[in-house]
Amino acid sequence: MPSPRLSFVLGFTAVLSFGPCLLQAQPGQIQTPSQFLGFTVGADRALADYGQIASYFDALAKSSKRIEVEHLGPTTQGRDLFAAVISSEENIKNKKMFQDIARRLADPRGLTPGEIEDLVSRGKAIVFVTCNSHSTEIGATQMFMEWAHDLVTARDAETLRRLNDVILVLIPSLNPDGQHMVVDWYRKYLGTKYEGGRMPWLYHPYVGHDNNRDWYMLTQKETQAVNRAAYHTWYPQVWLDEHQMGSTGPRLFVPPHTNPVALNVHPLVWRTVDNIGTLMAWRLEEQRKSGVVYGAMYDTYWPGGGEGTACWKNVCGLLTEAASTQMGTPVEIVPGELRGDTKGLIEYTQQANFPNPWPGGVWRVRDIMDYERTASDALLEACADHRAEILRGAASMALDAVKLGSPDVFYRIALDQRDPHSAAHLAHLLRENGAEVLFHEPEHAFYVPTAQPMARFVNEMLGVQRYPEVKHVPGPDIVPPYDVTAWSLPLMMGVTVEKVTRSKDERSTLRPVNGTDLPQGSVVNPDAGQFIISHERNAVSRLVNDVVKQEGSVSLTAADLKVDGEEFVKGAVLLEKVKDPAAIANTYGLQLVGVRETVAIPVEKLQRFRLGMYKPWTGSMDEGWTRWLLEQYKFPLQSINTKEMKEKKLGASFDVIVLPDISKDVIVDGKRKAEEGESKYFVDLPPEYSGGIGKEGVKNLKEFVEQGGTLVAMASACDYVIDEFNIPVVNALARSRRDEFNCPGSLIRAYVDSTHPVAYGMPQEIAAFVNQRMAFRTVPPAADVTRRVLVWYPDDEKDMLVSGWIAGAEKLERRAAAVAFTQGKGKIVLFGFRIQQRAQTESTFKLLFNAIHWGAMKSR
Ligand SMILES: [Zn+2]
C-alpha cells in the first residue's frame, strides 16, 4: 500500500484499495480517517496507533487551512506531542492575535471596562480538548480524527458559525508513549485469551495512571509541554478532558460534578461547566443515547488532571468519563452486572441525575466514540453560543481573584533558607503554572503577589487544606475523599513561605522572576585540600552520587564539627582531594567550606554502591515515580523484575534494594487481594509476566540481607518485610478497618531523630504524607539486632493533622513512622509514610536518599 501521506487527496495519486465498507473520497475531497488509514476506524478490534493518528492530522493540516498542527515538545520516549488547532480559516490565520486577546482577558489588570468589552467582542473562545492521559482509555483518540475531519470539511452554516466563534485546541493524546504501548500490546495479543487485557507495565514510562496527578507539580515532560501551551501560549477559557471509567456503571459521565466542591474555585467556573455539561446530556438524550449520568462519582475537590487544576486558574474545566470496552474488543454486560455503588449513584436505577439507565448489552469502542462525539459537539456548540459570556467571565473571574489579595501583601520565599533549591523550585513552579512571581535581587527572595489573577491557585498551593465534611444524608457519614486531601506545597517541599507587606516604594524594587534566579554556589577557603558541606539540601545527595561514581573520596561526619566558627552537625559531607571546588559549588549550587586542619572526628566513608529496585509485572506507579526521582538525583539504579528477584544472586549484584510501595500480595503472588465483597476473579497476564516473587524471592531477599545488603521498604511493602523477616516491629494498624482509621493522603506532624545516618540533614519536625494504614510499634530486640526509631508521630491526636483530613488520628499516637534495623551485617529500613509521594514531598526525599547511602557506608 502506498504511503497514506502521499495519497491523501484522492484524484492526485493512485487510488487506494479499501475494504468494502469504506466510501472513497471524491476527487479533491479530504479523506476520512478510515479512507486514509485503510481500515474502518472505530470498528471492532481495529485501533489506530499514535503514529497513524499523527500522520492523519499532519495530512489534514496539509489539505485544509482550518487546521494547524502545533508541536508541543518531545515525550518521555521522544515522540512528538502535538496539538491540532481547528477553527475558521480566518481565525487560524490570526491565531497570534487571538492568543493575545485571550492572554489579556486572563490578566485584565489595568484595562478599563470598555477595553475589556472591546476584547470580548473581538476575541474567540479558546477551548482545549484533551484525552487519553490514561492510555487504555482509547476511544477519544480514534474519535478525534473523525471530529477533526468533519470540522475541517463542513460546509453547513451552523458548523461554520461555531468555527468562527471558537478556536479548538485538540490534543489527541496527552500520553503518546502510552497510546503506542497499549495499541502495540493489543495488536500482539489479538485473537488470544489475553486479547484486550492489561499490560504488565505502566502506560506512562514513569508514572502510569498518575499522569493526571502531576498537573500542579509538573514533573513529567508531557505535563510540562501541555501546561506551557495552556498558560504561556493559548490561555484557554474552557478545557474538556475525556476519560473512560469501568464497564459496569453508566455509559457516560458529564458535568455537573458531585460533592465535595473545591472551596477556592470561582463559582462562575462551576456554573459555566454545569451549563455546558447539561447541554451535552441534552444532546445525548435527543439522540437516544441512554445511560448518561451527572452529579455522581466525580467531585471537584482535588486538583488532579489538567482540566481539574485549570479550575483554580479561572478556566472552566470539564471531565467526561465513558464506560470502557477492552480496548478495541467489545464487552457484553448483562443487566445483573450493572451497578451504582458510588457517591451520587448508590443504586443503578432511574433517578434525577440518571433519568435513562442503559439496560445492558454489547458495548463497543464505536459506542464510546459516538457518545464522546456528541458530547464534544455540544461543547463546541455551547462555547460558540456563549462565546461572549465565556470571555467576559474569564476577565471578571480574574479581576475577582485580584481582589482576594492586596497589592501590598506578598508571599515571600527567601532563597536563604534550609534548602534554597526547594525554595527556588517552588517559586519557579508557580511561575510555570502561570502565576505572577517577582524577584528582589538584594534580598535574594521571590515575591508572589496575593493580588493577581492566579490568586486562587496560589492560595490553594501555598495554604493548608481542610477537607469539607459534606454529607449526602443526615447522619455521621461524610462523602469520602476521591483521592488525596493535601497538596500544601510549602509543607510538602519543606519551604518556608511568609506573608509580608511591602510599601509602594519597596514594591518598585521588584522585577519579574527569570530563569537564572537560582541558588548560587560559593566556596570558603578555596585553597584548602578538603571541603565540608552541610547535609540539609537535597542537592547534596546528587553531588554525593556524582563523586562516588567518579571514585572520588566522600565521607559523612559522625560527630558535630566546627569549621572557622561555623557549626556543621553530624552527617555533613566531607570531600577530599577536590581539584576544582568552584566548579562543584557552581554545578550543584552549594556552599563548600574548605577545612584547613586535619579532621579529628570520626567519619564514615561512602563506597561505590549498586542499587536495585523491584519492578513488579503489575506495573507499580510508586516504582515509576521512585525510579524517576532516583534518576533525577543520579542514583545508579537498576530495575529488578520478578524473575530476577527469584533467580538472580541478589547479594552478588546489589548493595541496596528498594521495595517501592507495593502490597504484600502483589509482591508474593503478583495479584492484589480482593477486598471483602469484591470478586476474587483475576484476569491472567501472559505466563512470562504472571506471578510474584513467591517463596524463592523471599529466600533470596533474606540471603541478601544476611550477606550484608540493605533493604529499604516503602509504605505497604513494609507489611511484606514485617511478615517475612524476623524483625522486632509490628504494623499497629494492620488490622484496623477503614471506619476506624482513614487517612487518604494528608500531612501529619512527625518528629525526626536526625542523628541517625538515614535522617542526616533532616529538620526535627516534618509534615509526613500519610495515605495508608501503617504505623509501627517496635519491641525490644535480641543482642544481634538493633532497632532505631527514626520518625515518630505526636503523643496527642490533637497535634496530628497539619493539612488534609484524617479519621482515627488517635491510632497514630506514640507510633513510629520510620524505623531502621541492623541484623548481623545487614540493614533494613521501613518507611510507613510516603517519603516520596508522586515526586512532590521534597521535604522527605532525603530519607530515601540517605537510606540508600546508609547501605554504602563503611566506618573507618
Ligand atoms: Zn482516566
Side-chain angles (χ1 to χ4, degrees):
M1 184 177 289
S3 155
R5 221 175 262 253
L6 295 173
S7 58
F8 186 63
V9 177
L10 293 184
F12 291 97
T13 56
V15 174
L16 294 169
S17 60
F18 296 116
C21 55
L22 303 173
L23 288 174
Q24 292 184 0
Q26 296 303 306
Q29 262 185 358
I30 294 174
Q31 284 184 319
T32 65
S34 296
Q35 290 165 337
F36 180 75
L37 295 174
F39 63 88
T40 306
V41 170
D44 290 352
R45 298 180 173 82
L47 294 173
D49 64 34
Y50 188 75
Q52 291 173 311
I53 294 169
S55 69
Y56 183 67
F57 275 95
D58 278 346
L60 268 190
K62 285 197 184 93
S63 308
S64 167
K65 294 199 167 80
R66 284 190 209 161
I67 175 170
E68 206 173 272
V69 169
E70 290 188 349
H71 305 281
L72 306 184
T75 65
T76 304
Q77 293 180 342
R79 288 191 175 81
D80 170 37
L81 174 53
F82 74 92
V85 182
I86 298 176
S87 191
S88 70
E89 214 177 302
E90 197 60 21
N91 291 350
I92 297 277
K93 215 186 294 167
N94 294 302
K95 77 170 187 180
K96 288 266 184 294
M97 179 180 80
F98 294 118
Q99 288 171 345
D100 191 57
I101 292 175
R103 181 184 59 77
R104 294 170 71 195
L105 287 170
D107 184 359
R109 284 177 291 180
L111 298 179
T112 65
E115 287 167 332
I116 291 175
E117 221 24 65
D118 175 57
L119 293 173
V120 167
S121 69
R122 292 192 293 120
K124 305 296 172 188
I126 312 287
V127 179
F128 267 44
V129 192
T130 56
C131 68
N132 191 240
S133 61
H134 302 145
S135 309
T136 49
E137 301 168 11
I138 199 82
T141 65
Q142 314 292 301
M143 182 275 284
F144 274 26
M145 291 189 285
E146 295 180 345
W147 195 27
H149 170 269
D150 293 355
L151 291 174
V152 304
T153 56
R155 303 216 175 141
D156 64 290
E158 175 58 19
T159 306
L160 297 180
R161 178 190 73 88
R162 292 177 189 178
L163 291 178
N164 183 47
D165 285 334
V166 177
I167 299 177
L168 286 173
V169 179
L170 253 56
I171 301 184
S173 176
L174 287 169
N175 178 16
D177 299 338
Q179 208 278 357
H180 233 280
M181 270 185 234
V182 299
V183 175
D184 279 354
W185 181 263
Y186 179 71
R187 288 171 178 166
K188 184 173 173 191
Y189 288 98
L190 256 184
T192 74
K193 69 182 246 197
Y194 307 110
E195 175 178 320
R198 65 205 160 82
M199 298 190 302
W201 42 76
L202 298 170
Y203 52 51
H204 176 280
Y206 288 113
V207 306
H209 195 83
D210 265 357
N211 59 358
N212 77 329
R213 269 69 171 170
D214 190 44
W215 286 84
Y216 52 85
M217 206 65 194
L218 306 177
T219 65
Q220 300 301 308
K221 286 184 174 174
E222 297 79 11
T223 343
Q224 289 166 356
V226 177
N227 172 79
R228 189 141 265 279
Y231 303 111
H232 297 268
T233 306
W234 276 106
Y235 306 90
Q237 297 92 26
V238 178
W239 185 333
L240 165 65
D241 196 20
E242 305 195 16
H243 283 251
Q244 290 173 212
M245 54 187 171
S247 305
T248 55
R251 297 300 91 188
L252 186 73
F253 163 84
V254 298
H257 302 78
T258 187
N259 277 312
V261 66
L263 309 178
N264 241 339
V265 170
H266 198 295
L268 191 56
V269 163
W270 305 135
R271 296 300 189 187
T272 313
V273 163
D274 296 352
N275 191 3
I276 298 170
T278 302
L279 184 69
M280 290 174 172
W282 188 17
R283 294 293 178 238
L284 285 153
E285 206 59 55
E286 282 182 327
Q287 295 178 17
R288 297 185 176 76
K289 291 189 166 71
S290 61
V292 177
V293 72
Y294 70 89
M297 298 176 268
Y298 302 99
D299 63 50
T300 59
Y301 178 62
W302 135 91
E307 98 295 346
T309 309
C311 295
W312 277 260
K313 302 177 179 180
N314 312 319
V315 178
C316 304
L318 294 99
L319 172 76
T320 58
E321 295 267 359
S324 287
T325 49
Q326 284 162 355
M327 295 285 288
T329 303
V331 290
E332 191 192 353
I333 308 294
V334 301
E337 289 166 358
L338 290 163
R339 54 194 279 203
D341 286 339
T342 177
K343 60 181 170 185
L345 191 75
I346 295 161
E347 299 290 339
Y348 189 91
T349 53
Q350 198 172 11
Q351 49 200 279
N353 60 342
F354 190 50
N356 185 10
W358 183 68
V362 177
W363 183 249
R364 339 185 92 90
V365 73
R366 183 75 254 172
D367 296 318
I368 299 174
M369 293 164 65
D370 289 347
Y371 274 62
E372 288 178 333
R373 174 61 188 276
T374 303
S376 302
D377 276 329
L379 169 82
L380 176 59
E381 179 187 353
C383 293
D385 288 355
H386 300 292
R387 183 200 62 82
E389 293 104 307
I390 286 171
L391 296 189
R392 199 175 292 120
S396 76
M397 287 190 281
L399 292 175
D400 284 353
V402 173
K403 285 187 218 136
L404 291 174
S406 157
D408 51 8
V409 178
F410 298 82
Y411 291 104
R412 181 178 183 272
I413 306 173
L415 267 176
D416 180 19
Q417 59 172 291
R418 187 173 186 89
D419 193 333
H421 293 86
S422 290
H425 184 193
L426 176 54
H428 287 284
L429 182 59
L430 292 172
R431 175 70 205 112
E432 200 50 34
N433 267 291
E436 182 183 20
V437 179
L438 305 168
F439 193 69
H440 190 282
E441 296 220 19
E443 288 178 22
H444 288 276
F446 303 96
Y447 280 78
V448 185
T450 58
Q452 65 161 306
M454 288 280 185
R456 293 172 186 278
F457 176 75
V458 168
N459 291 340
E460 187 74 25
M461 291 298 137
L462 298 185
V464 295
Q465 280 77 46
R466 286 287 174 264
Y467 183 73
E469 303 210 331
V470 180
K471 296 175 181 182
H472 275 322
V473 290
D477 293 340
I478 64 158
V479 177
Y482 182 81
D483 199 90
V484 303
T485 58
W487 38 87
S488 313
L489 292 182
L491 291 166
M492 291 167 86
M493 298 173 74
V495 175
T496 301
V497 179
E498 44 178 357
K499 247 186 185 170
V500 297
T501 305
R502 290 291 180 264
S503 69
K504 201 165 180 191
D505 279 354
E506 290 169 317
R507 297 202 303 267
S508 68
T509 59
L510 299 171
R511 60 150 173 84
V513 71
N514 65 51
T516 56
D517 297 327
L518 295 167
Q520 302 302 317
S522 64
V523 182
V524 178
N525 305 334
D527 54 323
Q530 52 185 346
F531 292 85
I532 191 164
I533 308 162
S534 101
H535 203 118
E536 287 171 352
R537 304 179 184 189
N538 284 342
V540 167
S541 303
R542 187 183 283 128
L543 163 76
V544 165
N545 287 331
D546 275 351
V547 177
V548 169
K549 207 180 304 169
Q550 292 150 19
E551 307 210 40
S553 172
V554 49
S555 308
L556 301 180
T557 58
D560 296 352
L561 180 68
K562 218 172 210 170
V563 180
D564 286 3
E566 196 177 336
E567 185 80 25
F568 287 86
V569 298
K570 185 181 175 187
V573 174
L574 200 61
L575 300 179
E576 289 169 276
K577 299 178 207 124
V578 176
K579 285 193 198 90
D580 192 350
I584 292 177
N586 287 336
T587 303
Y588 302 95
L590 292 169
Q591 191 197 50
L592 273 60
V593 177
V595 187
R596 294 202 176 99
E597 288 145 34
T598 316
V599 175
I601 57 165
V603 299
E604 291 182 290
K605 197 160 160 56
L606 281 175
Q607 311 285 334
R608 282 185 91 167
F609 58 94
R610 298 156 305 167
L611 170 65
M613 180 162 63
Y614 178 45
K615 186 178 190 181
W617 292 132
T618 49
S620 153
M621 287 186 283
D622 189 53
E623 181 278 327
W625 281 114
T626 308
R627 180 160 36 87
W628 180 84
L629 183 67
L630 292 174
E631 285 177 15
Q632 302 304 304
Y633 281 85
K634 300 195 176 181
F635 280 86
L637 178 67
Q638 263 184 278
S639 295
I640 316 173
N641 68 31
T642 300
K643 188 169 184 285
E644 291 165 335
M645 282 293 262
K646 287 157 84 165
E647 295 170 8
K648 202 167 184 162
K649 286 262 165 274
L650 297 175
S653 309
F654 302 105
D655 301 293
V656 182
I657 291 178
V658 175
L659 298 177
D661 178 14
I662 308 170
S663 72
K664 183 185 167 188
D665 304 294
V666 172
I667 297 176
V668 177
D669 301 325
K671 49 184 147 184
R672 201 169 296 282
K673 202 163 143 192
E675 299 260 330
E676 227 176 276
E678 267 184 15
S679 162
K680 286 198 188 83
Y681 182 64
F682 182 80
V683 179
D684 279 331
L685 285 161
E688 62 269 40
Y689 304 116
S690 61
I693 71 171
K695 287 199 173 66
E696 304 99 304
V698 171
K699 188 167 162 277
N700 212 358
L701 268 177
K702 279 186 179 167
E703 270 174 27
F704 165 76
V705 174
E706 277 161 23
Q707 289 162 6
T710 297
L711 182 64
V712 180
M714 306 212 283
S716 54
C718 294
D719 273 335
Y720 167 76
V721 177
I722 291 170
D723 283 2
E724 298 295 348
F725 288 72
N726 182 26
I727 45 175
V729 65
V730 291
N731 174 10
L733 297 182
R735 284 166 200 277
S736 60
R737 298 187 315 267
R738 193 179 291 275
D739 57 349
E740 293 170 333
F741 179 82
N742 192 355
C743 187
S746 302
L747 292 165
I748 304 296
R749 193 181 318 279
Y751 306 104
V752 182
D753 174 4
S754 61
T755 63
H756 188 278
V758 174
Y760 280 165
M762 293 292 294
Q764 281 173 352
E765 188 181 314
I766 57 170
F769 196 95
V770 176
N771 69 355
Q772 44 198 275
R773 282 165 276 178
M774 176 81 53
F776 305 123
R777 190 179 65 235
T778 55
V779 294
D784 69 330
V785 173
T786 68
R787 53 91 181 81
R788 183 88 167 259
V789 172
L790 305 172
V791 184
W792 61 97
Y793 297 112
D795 289 348
D796 187 338
E797 61 166 311
K798 287 197 289 296
D799 299 331
M800 221 63 87
L801 185 67
V802 186
S803 182
W805 180 77
I806 185 170
E810 73 281 358
K811 300 243 179 223
L812 294 179
E813 286 173 358
R814 292 179 305 281
R815 294 288 167 250
V819 191
F821 304 88
T822 59
Q823 195 174 34
K825 287 188 287 180
K827 298 168 182 167
I828 295 176
V829 186
L830 303 182
F831 292 113
F833 65 106
R834 302 291 300 111
I835 49 175
Q836 179 293 102
Q837 163 71 10
R838 295 174 177 161
Q840 296 175 11
T841 50
E842 228 161 88
S843 72
T844 52
F845 287 172
K846 209 177 359 261
L847 290 167
L848 172 63
F849 302 159
N850 287 348
I852 295 167
H853 287 154
W854 189 40
M857 272 186 197
K858 284 258 161 66
S859 299
R860 72 169 196 202

